Amino acid sequence: ITMPCTILASVLTSNDIPDNKKIMIILGVAFASYAIFFVLSILLLLPVSCGTEKPIEKGNMLDTYFVVSDIHLLSNNLVDGSVGKERLTNDGRCQELDYDLVRALVAKINEEKPSFVFITGDLTFNGEKDSHLELVRLLNQVSSDTKVLVIPGNHDCYNLRSSSYLESTIHTVDTIDEQEFASIYRQYGYEGALFYDQDSLSYIYELADNRWALMLDTNLTRYNYDNGTNSTGGTLPWTTFTWVEEKLAYAQEHGIEVISFMHHNLITHNPMFERQYTLYCAEDVRELYHKYGVTLNFSGHLHIQDIQEDNGLYDICDVSLLDYGNRYGVLHLYEKAYEYDAVALTLPNIDLAEYSFQTFYHKYYDGKEPNTDLYGDKAEEILDLISTINGYYFDGDYTTIAQLRKENKALFKLLEEKNTNGYVSTIIEKGKKDQRHILILK
């Protein structure tokens, strides 16, 4: 302010400057002063709008829930050392640690005392009745401070591969039907619910005076015997869809918050795995949720840690408890927001993260031949790279993938140029954030 005034005073009192020049100088000083003032104003505002954003107002914390998926417990009564659980799968999971991980989860529940724990299906290895009974025995150790609610996954009922693995021999064992599922898990949601669907194992459980859990059975396994094969995909029967809409309309009218849980994905998390994993009627259900203000859904089935969004509706897919990461979800409910974190379990006397990663790595790497036709003398390094980033992808760890990209630019460039595997392309997608934390405003 002082400088322009000094200049203008000097100009106006000078006898050496013609009047017409004085006018030009005055206009120039005025324009320059305005420009400087404008720029300074922007700079002064920058720390407020960019550098020091106001923290998001979440309001008071109301409650805490845990969310778990794909436990795949196999009863110890059904397998012995002649086979070994670690040899029963080749998808990267630590099947041999199933009891240890469930016990560690129960201990964490009893330590932190969330109000509710939700298990979104695939409770058992292949629907063995004894595995269900064993899981209930373990869940019975959960403190009375916490209520556990379950829904079935595609492995849990009418499973045609329900087997024992004793003395190096596979024998068929009893699986269960829907009625038995509701009976076995009666204290885990199937008694005390507000509403039950008549055509599936779906139900609604009251979490608080103005909050519901919509627990949806999205499986097609009831048709396994007729079709002669285990159904992997999922949908909602039309009658169940109508039941859901009726209850959501009631909830909206009465100001009740609804959080949804299902086994199958509501939003596609990987385009390579859509048909058997994303709900067949997902578009219709998303439209229904948009209409009635449901903004949060939890799913599993894919075994990966991933979060997808569709016009303000979020689908959080929790990694399998047995796969690398070995995580459970923690949902903090606030007055104005949801905050979610995927938290890794630990086990005594073992570096679980390293053990689980190596299991995941080798079950992808071992048995695969390096593609020398495509990658030449770099084929072994490329196979190692793909096996490594595959583990981080399942754990939702894009920060580490980005670091690997930075450290191995030439290999990543070769992989991107030569790769014909669409799945690998979905892993090395650029710019994706870690999938283990999100804050969602209501």
Side-chain angles (χ1 to χ4, degrees):
I1 294 171
T2 304
M3 187 183 297
C5 292
T6 303
I7 294 172
L8 289 174
S10 299
V11 170
L12 290 172
T13 57
S14 174
N15 294 321
D16 299 326
I17 303 175
D19 290 344
N20 61 334
K21 290 287 184 71
K22 287 182 179 180
I23 295 173
M24 296 295 292
I25 291 172
I26 291 169
L27 290 174
V29 170
F31 178 79
S33 300
Y34 175 80
I36 292 169
F37 178 77
F38 178 78
V39 171
L40 287 174
S41 298
I42 295 297
L43 291 174
L44 287 169
L45 287 172
L46 277 177
V48 176
S49 60
C50 299
T52 56
E53 290 184 1
K54 289 179 64 178
I56 295 174
E57 183 59 47
K58 297 185 288 189
N60 295 325
M61 193 168 80
L62 305 175
D63 217 335
T64 298
Y65 305 151
F66 283 7
V67 188
V68 190
S69 193
D70 297 87
I71 290 175
H72 287 292
L73 187 83
L74 175 59
S75 171
N76 284 339
N77 302 323
L78 301 175
V79 63
D80 61 22
S82 67
V83 177
K85 290 184 180 182
E86 69 278 0
R87 286 183 279 173
L88 294 177
T89 65
N90 61 1
D91 61 358
R93 73 179 90 159
C94 299
Q95 189 64 52
E96 66 275 20
L97 297 180
D98 52 0
Y99 274 70
D100 300 285
L101 289 164
V102 173
R103 289 190 182 106
L105 175 66
V106 170
K108 188 59 69 173
I109 293 169
N110 291 340
E111 175 188 341
E112 299 194 14
K113 295 179 172 53
S115 296
F116 287 89
V117 174
F118 304 92
I119 307 179
T120 57
D122 279 2
L123 312 177
T124 59
F125 186 70
N126 274 323
E128 309 84 9
K129 183 173 183 177
D130 200 61
S131 296
H132 285 293
L133 295 174
E134 280 290 274
L135 180 59
V136 167
R137 183 180 66 81
L138 293 171
L139 292 177
N140 284 343
Q141 304 304 310
V142 172
S143 163
S144 59
D145 296 313
T146 299
K147 181 70 176 179
V148 179
L149 302 177
V150 308
I151 47 174
N154 58 289
H155 278 253
D156 291 325
C157 298
Y158 305 104
N159 198 306
L160 303 179
R161 292 195 294 271
S162 181
S163 304
S164 66
Y165 309 87
L166 300 169
E167 299 179 352
S168 300
T169 306
I170 301 176
H171 292 287
T172 299
V173 298
D174 288 342
T175 185
I176 63 172
D177 59 23
E178 292 169 308
Q179 290 71 33
E180 289 174 292
F181 187 93
S183 175
I184 290 171
Y185 294 100
R186 56 189 176 275
Q187 68 189 90
Y188 297 106
Y190 290 95
E191 279 183 357
L194 275 180
F195 306 105
Y196 301 92
D197 177 42
Q198 297 302 308
D199 296 310
S200 71
L201 288 170
S202 302
Y203 61 95
I204 290 173
Y205 207 94
E206 186 175 43
L207 307 177
D209 288 342
N210 61 343
R211 190 181 309 122
W212 289 354
L214 175 58
M215 309 292 290
L216 290 179
D217 170 15
T218 55
N219 301 287
L220 291 166
T221 52
R222 63 182 63 91
Y223 304 111
N224 284 356
Y225 293 153
D226 292 339
N227 296 334
T229 186
N230 283 330
S231 300
T232 303
T235 191
L236 290 181
W238 176 247
T239 52
T240 302
F241 185 90
T242 303
W243 175 81
V244 171
E245 180 163 27
E246 174 190 316
K247 302 309 179 190
L248 290 182
Y250 178 93
Q252 186 181 67
E253 182 182 350
H254 292 82
I256 298 170
E257 172 187 6
V258 177
I259 303 174
S260 172
F261 301 85
M262 61 182 68
H263 184 62
H264 295 83
N265 308 131
L266 185 56
I267 304 174
T268 298
H269 291 265
N270 187 311
M272 296 293 295
F273 303 101
E274 181 172 21
R275 185 174 177 274
Q276 298 292 331
Y277 293 89
T278 304
L279 202 65
Y280 293 144
C281 60
E283 187 174 348
D284 293 328
V285 175
R286 291 198 302 268
E287 184 177 333
L288 195 67
Y289 283 8
H290 285 308
K291 180 178 179 181
Y292 293 106
V294 179
T295 60
L296 186 57
N297 181 75
F298 287 91
S299 63
H301 195 31
L302 260 177
H303 287 213
I304 67 171
Q305 183 64 48
D306 195 70
I307 303 170
Q308 294 294 328
E309 183 260 346
D310 175 71
N311 293 323
L313 170 61
Y314 292 83
D315 184 39
I316 299 178
C317 179
D318 285 291
V319 67
S320 165
L321 193 70
L322 303 186
D323 279 310
Y324 171 61
N326 308 105
R327 297 179 185 274
Y328 62 96
V330 178
L331 179 67
H332 293 304
L333 292 90
Y334 295 88
E335 291 174 320
K336 300 179 182 179
Y338 302 112
E339 188 163 23
Y340 168 88
D341 287 283
V343 179
L345 281 173
T346 58
L347 294 178
N349 306 319
I350 182 176
D351 184 344
L352 178 60
E354 178 62 20
Y355 179 90
S356 185
F357 181 83
Q358 290 302 323
T359 300
F360 204 94
Y361 172 93
H362 284 289
K363 286 191 176 178
Y364 189 94
Y365 180 92
D366 294 348
K368 286 188 171 60
E369 290 293 328
N371 192 337
T372 53
D373 291 338
L374 200 59
Y375 301 113
D377 61 358
K378 296 293 183 182
E380 185 73 30
E381 292 179 72
I382 289 291
L383 178 57
D384 171 76
L385 179 64
I386 293 173
S387 304
T388 299
I389 64 177
N390 184 54
Y392 295 125
Y393 168 67
F394 265 71
D395 193 32
D397 184 1
Y398 284 87
T399 297
T400 302
I401 294 175
Q403 183 62 32
L404 287 172
R405 179 189 290 276
K406 191 175 180 181
E407 296 170 355
N408 302 275
K409 292 180 181 178
L411 278 182
F412 267 92
K413 183 178 180 182
L414 179 62
L415 181 59
E416 290 170 327
E417 287 175 351
K418 300 288 188 177
N419 172 56
T420 57
N421 185 331
Y423 170 65
V424 174
S425 298
T426 65
I427 295 178
I428 61 176
E429 177 184 353
K430 296 180 181 179
K432 201 168 183 182
K433 297 180 181 178
D434 283 351
Q435 301 295 290
R436 299 179 302 211
H437 173 82
I438 192 168
L439 179 66
I440 303 169
L441 293 179
K442 293 184 181 179

